[in-house]
Short mmCIF file of all heavy atoms in Angstrom, two decimals:
data_model
loop_
_atom_site.label_atom_id
_atom_site.label_comp_id
_atom_site.label_asym_id
_atom_site.label_seq_id
_atom_site.Cartn_x
_atom_site.Cartn_y
_atom_site.Cartn_z
N SER A 33 7.25 14.29 -13.77
CA SER A 33 5.96 14.47 -14.39
C SER A 33 5.32 13.21 -14.66
O SER A 33 5.94 12.16 -14.58
CB SER A 33 6.17 15.33 -15.65
OG SER A 33 7.03 14.63 -16.50
N LEU A 34 4.00 13.28 -15.07
CA LEU A 34 3.35 12.03 -15.44
C LEU A 34 3.94 11.40 -16.61
O LEU A 34 4.29 12.06 -17.60
CB LEU A 34 1.89 12.40 -15.78
CG LEU A 34 0.92 12.71 -14.64
CD1 LEU A 34 -0.47 12.94 -15.19
CD2 LEU A 34 0.84 11.54 -13.62
N GLU A 35 4.17 10.12 -16.51
CA GLU A 35 4.87 9.31 -17.56
C GLU A 35 3.93 8.27 -18.04
O GLU A 35 3.28 7.60 -17.27
CB GLU A 35 6.13 8.74 -16.91
CG GLU A 35 6.73 7.61 -17.86
CD GLU A 35 7.65 6.70 -17.01
OE1 GLU A 35 7.68 6.79 -15.79
OE2 GLU A 35 8.35 5.89 -17.71
N GLN A 36 3.76 8.16 -19.36
CA GLN A 36 2.95 7.14 -19.95
C GLN A 36 3.72 5.79 -19.91
O GLN A 36 4.87 5.80 -20.22
CB GLN A 36 2.48 7.46 -21.35
CG GLN A 36 1.44 6.39 -21.84
CD GLN A 36 0.81 6.77 -23.18
OE1 GLN A 36 1.09 7.83 -23.74
NE2 GLN A 36 -0.13 5.93 -23.64
N VAL A 37 3.05 4.69 -19.58
CA VAL A 37 3.61 3.39 -19.55
C VAL A 37 2.85 2.52 -20.52
O VAL A 37 1.61 2.46 -20.55
CB VAL A 37 3.56 2.77 -18.21
CG1 VAL A 37 4.23 1.44 -18.15
CG2 VAL A 37 4.30 3.69 -17.16
N THR A 38 3.58 1.82 -21.40
CA THR A 38 2.97 0.83 -22.28
C THR A 38 3.50 -0.52 -21.95
O THR A 38 4.46 -0.74 -21.26
CB THR A 38 3.29 1.19 -23.76
OG1 THR A 38 4.69 1.15 -23.97
CG2 THR A 38 2.71 2.54 -24.14
N GLY A 39 2.76 -1.57 -22.48
CA GLY A 39 3.26 -2.90 -22.19
C GLY A 39 3.08 -3.42 -20.79
O GLY A 39 3.93 -4.13 -20.30
N PHE A 40 2.04 -2.92 -20.14
CA PHE A 40 1.82 -3.30 -18.77
C PHE A 40 1.05 -4.57 -18.51
O PHE A 40 0.82 -4.99 -17.46
CB PHE A 40 1.25 -2.14 -17.88
CG PHE A 40 -0.08 -1.65 -18.51
CD1 PHE A 40 -1.30 -2.29 -18.17
CD2 PHE A 40 -0.11 -0.51 -19.32
CE1 PHE A 40 -2.48 -1.82 -18.73
CE2 PHE A 40 -1.29 -0.03 -19.86
CZ PHE A 40 -2.47 -0.68 -19.57
N GLY A 41 0.64 -5.16 -19.63
CA GLY A 41 -0.14 -6.41 -19.55
C GLY A 41 -1.01 -6.59 -20.74
O GLY A 41 -0.84 -5.83 -21.79
N SER A 42 -1.90 -7.48 -20.75
CA SER A 42 -2.75 -7.65 -21.88
C SER A 42 -3.77 -6.54 -22.06
O SER A 42 -4.38 -6.44 -23.16
CB SER A 42 -3.57 -9.03 -21.77
OG SER A 42 -4.35 -9.00 -20.53
N ASN A 43 -4.06 -5.80 -21.05
CA ASN A 43 -4.91 -4.58 -21.05
C ASN A 43 -6.19 -4.83 -21.79
O ASN A 43 -6.62 -4.15 -22.77
CB ASN A 43 -4.17 -3.45 -21.84
CG ASN A 43 -4.86 -2.11 -21.70
OD1 ASN A 43 -5.64 -1.85 -20.83
ND2 ASN A 43 -4.48 -1.19 -22.51
N PRO A 44 -7.00 -5.76 -21.18
CA PRO A 44 -8.34 -6.04 -21.83
C PRO A 44 -9.31 -4.94 -21.84
O PRO A 44 -10.23 -4.95 -22.63
CB PRO A 44 -8.81 -7.21 -20.97
CG PRO A 44 -8.21 -7.07 -19.62
CD PRO A 44 -6.84 -6.55 -19.97
N GLY A 45 -9.11 -3.93 -21.03
CA GLY A 45 -10.05 -2.77 -20.94
C GLY A 45 -9.60 -1.63 -21.86
O GLY A 45 -10.33 -0.62 -21.93
N ALA A 46 -8.53 -1.81 -22.54
CA ALA A 46 -7.95 -0.78 -23.50
C ALA A 46 -7.79 0.56 -22.85
O ALA A 46 -8.24 1.64 -23.47
CB ALA A 46 -8.86 -0.79 -24.80
N LEU A 47 -7.30 0.61 -21.62
CA LEU A 47 -6.97 1.90 -20.94
C LEU A 47 -5.64 2.30 -21.22
O LEU A 47 -4.72 1.57 -21.56
CB LEU A 47 -7.28 1.71 -19.40
CG LEU A 47 -8.67 1.30 -18.98
CD1 LEU A 47 -8.65 1.11 -17.48
CD2 LEU A 47 -9.73 2.29 -19.47
N LYS A 48 -5.31 3.61 -20.92
CA LYS A 48 -3.93 4.15 -20.86
C LYS A 48 -3.43 4.12 -19.48
O LYS A 48 -4.23 4.40 -18.58
CB LYS A 48 -3.88 5.54 -21.54
CG LYS A 48 -4.09 5.55 -23.03
CD LYS A 48 -3.96 7.01 -23.59
CE LYS A 48 -4.17 7.04 -25.02
NZ LYS A 48 -3.96 8.43 -25.58
N MET A 49 -2.07 3.92 -19.31
CA MET A 49 -1.49 3.91 -17.98
C MET A 49 -0.52 5.10 -17.94
O MET A 49 0.33 5.25 -18.78
CB MET A 49 -0.73 2.65 -17.73
CG MET A 49 0.06 2.70 -16.45
SD MET A 49 0.99 1.18 -16.08
CE MET A 49 1.86 1.61 -14.54
N TYR A 50 -0.70 5.96 -16.90
CA TYR A 50 0.25 6.98 -16.59
C TYR A 50 0.69 6.75 -15.14
O TYR A 50 -0.07 6.18 -14.35
CB TYR A 50 -0.45 8.38 -16.74
CG TYR A 50 -0.68 8.71 -18.20
CD1 TYR A 50 -1.94 8.42 -18.76
CD2 TYR A 50 0.29 9.45 -18.97
CE1 TYR A 50 -2.16 8.70 -20.08
CE2 TYR A 50 -0.04 9.74 -20.23
CZ TYR A 50 -1.20 9.38 -20.77
OH TYR A 50 -1.48 9.72 -22.19
N ARG A 51 1.83 7.25 -14.82
CA ARG A 51 2.30 7.16 -13.43
C ARG A 51 3.08 8.45 -13.07
O ARG A 51 3.50 9.16 -13.97
CB ARG A 51 3.16 5.93 -13.25
CG ARG A 51 4.41 5.79 -13.94
CD ARG A 51 5.06 4.50 -13.68
NE ARG A 51 6.27 4.25 -14.49
CZ ARG A 51 6.88 3.11 -14.62
NH1 ARG A 51 6.39 2.04 -14.02
NH2 ARG A 51 7.97 2.92 -15.37
N TYR A 52 3.33 8.53 -11.78
CA TYR A 52 4.07 9.72 -11.23
C TYR A 52 4.92 9.18 -10.06
O TYR A 52 4.40 8.47 -9.22
CB TYR A 52 3.13 10.79 -10.72
CG TYR A 52 3.78 12.02 -10.22
CD1 TYR A 52 4.15 13.04 -11.03
CD2 TYR A 52 4.10 12.10 -8.84
CE1 TYR A 52 4.74 14.21 -10.53
CE2 TYR A 52 4.66 13.22 -8.36
CZ TYR A 52 5.02 14.22 -9.15
OH TYR A 52 5.74 15.31 -8.68
N ALA A 53 6.19 9.59 -9.97
CA ALA A 53 7.01 9.27 -8.87
C ALA A 53 7.93 10.49 -8.62
O ALA A 53 8.63 10.87 -9.58
CB ALA A 53 7.82 7.97 -9.12
#
Side-chain angles (χ1 to χ4, degrees):
S33 59
L34 286 181
E35 168 198 9
Q36 185 172 3
V37 180
T38 58
F40 55 83
S42 59
N43 191 17
L47 301 177
K48 290 184 178 180
M49 175 182 177
Y50 291 88
R51 66 181 174 195
Y52 181 88

